[in-house]
Amino acid sequence: MPTLKQLAVETLTHMVEGGQERLPVDDEARGILRQWMMDARRGSVPAAAPAPAAAEPEMSVEQKLAYLQQRAADWKPARRLGTLRETMVFAVGNPHARLMLVGEAPGYEEERQGEPFVGPAGQLLTKVLKAMGLQRSEVYISNVCKFRPSMGENQGTANRAPSPEELAACLPLIMAEIRAIRPACIVCLGGSSAKGLLGAQQGVSALRGQWLECQGVPVRVTYHPSYLLRNEAISARRALWEDMLAVMQHLGMPISEKQQHYFQ
Ligand code: URA
């Protein structure tokens, strides 16, 4: 059973990780929080949520990610919901990548292989990266939600999108990954990713085509590859490719005539 202090620290850290900067509290609560803060500074309280970038500035990016992966495996806010499956799927790619791609949650194949974006949507993503002139090993690929959302007995190979609670529970992990990696830009693949990283309420069509921001990192929102697998319309493919061209330009990557005119 978590103690009241652990629950409170976890909740507060979660709020901070989600971008909240202010919380009105009364004098009694302020006194308790001040005492806990002094305890924590003396090292008597274990951190409730991952904050390696702030807490351990001397750690390498690899060490920070290894630490986060370890925390994610037993991530209580997600486990406590009871709606996510057992296997934790963390991330793949280059910890020093300039480009970070963030999806929503692992599906059947990702859970089986323990790696994000290796199923049909992942294979399409790999093709898109190749068309950009990038290998999977050159970028960092992760998900907002680290566990495959459960569908109980009807699961089989079926997948579902994570609920707002499931996204919120896992959010501190991806936020800490972003702080560890500090990529030059992030691509949100699909609406769940944008909801998580940007707190966006609009759909992808309204969010794409502009630079947004998450923790000071420029963000581009585009369609999830699985949407393109369901929707063969050339307009959807063109839109995703335009978003990727904008990303390439932002990263200062060379863009050939062929790449420029792929879907024209
Ligand atoms: N869809 C996602 O959003 N993430 C994966 O890892 C796989 C499919």
Side-chain angles (χ1 to χ4, degrees):
M1 280 277 282
T3 64
L4 179 62
K5 184 189 281 189
Q6 281 166 336
L7 278 175
V9 171
E10 204 167 88
T11 306
L12 290 169
T13 310
H14 193 162
M15 288 161 80
V16 171
E17 298 279 4
Q20 187 159 341
E21 292 178 348
R22 290 179 183 279
L23 177 73
V25 290
D26 65 15
D27 286 345
E28 190 190 2
R30 191 172 298 115
I32 294 170
L33 289 170
R34 188 170 296 128
Q35 186 57 51
W36 286 357
M37 196 173 74
M38 277 151 53
D39 291 346
R41 286 212 178 123
R42 282 200 297 270
S44 57
V45 180
E56 307 275 2
E58 74 283 5
M59 282 166 91
S60 68
V61 181
E62 286 81 357
Q63 285 171 326
K64 287 176 188 171
L65 292 176
Y67 167 74
L68 284 173
Q69 183 161 2
Q70 198 188 337
R71 296 294 308 268
D74 187 31
W75 188 241
K76 296 280 187 304
R79 296 278 183 220
R80 219 175 280 135
L81 292 175
T83 57
L84 293 165
R85 286 167 63 90
E86 181 66 23
T87 307
M88 192 278 296
V89 180
F90 193 63
V92 67
N94 184 349
H96 301 279
R98 299 183 65 227
L99 174 58
M100 179 164 177
L101 299 116
V102 181
E104 60 179 29
Y108 168 75
E109 201 53 50
E110 287 74 23
E111 183 185 66
R112 207 175 66 79
Q113 297 190 38
E115 182 174 325
F117 282 101
V118 286
Q123 285 158 23
L124 178 55
L125 177 64
T126 305
K127 278 191 198 160
V128 171
L129 289 171
K130 199 165 168 211
M132 296 168 75
L134 291 167
Q135 311 268 351
R136 275 172 77 92
S137 57
E138 290 177 273
V139 300
Y140 184 88
I141 304 175
S142 195
N143 282 309
V144 176
C145 182
K146 304 296 187 216
F147 307 85
R148 184 176 169 212
S150 171
M151 297 174 75
E153 299 193 341
N154 304 323
Q155 190 95 47
T157 57
N159 300 314
R160 69 165 171 85
S163 67
E165 293 74 27
E166 290 163 346
L167 287 174
C170 289
L171 193 61
L173 296 165
I174 188 70
M175 288 299 197
E177 284 169 87
I178 293 169
R179 284 198 306 278
I181 293 174
R182 303 260 13 123
C185 77
I186 298 171
V187 172
C188 283
L189 297 166
S192 295
S193 171
K195 212 175 279 173
L197 295 198
L198 306 166
Q201 296 307 317
Q202 308 99 303
V204 173
S205 304
L207 293 168
R208 59 170 294 277
Q210 57 189 313
W211 285 105
L212 300 160
E213 206 181 285
C214 174
Q215 301 189 103
V217 179
V219 175
R220 205 85 187 181
V221 177
T222 195
Y223 293 115
H224 194 286
S226 65
Y227 172 73
L228 294 196
L229 291 176
R230 293 192 304 270
N231 174 358
E232 297 248 307
I234 188 82
S235 56
R237 287 171 183 256
R238 183 180 296 130
L240 179 133
W241 184 245
E242 277 168 6
D243 296 330
M244 293 311 191
L245 283 176
V247 166
M248 289 170 73
Q249 196 169 14
H250 178 83
L251 294 174
M253 292 171 63
I255 300 176
S256 68
E257 277 291 302
K258 188 174 162 201
Q259 285 170 320
Q260 191 73 59
H261 299 112
Y262 256 155
F263 288 98
Q264 288 174 6

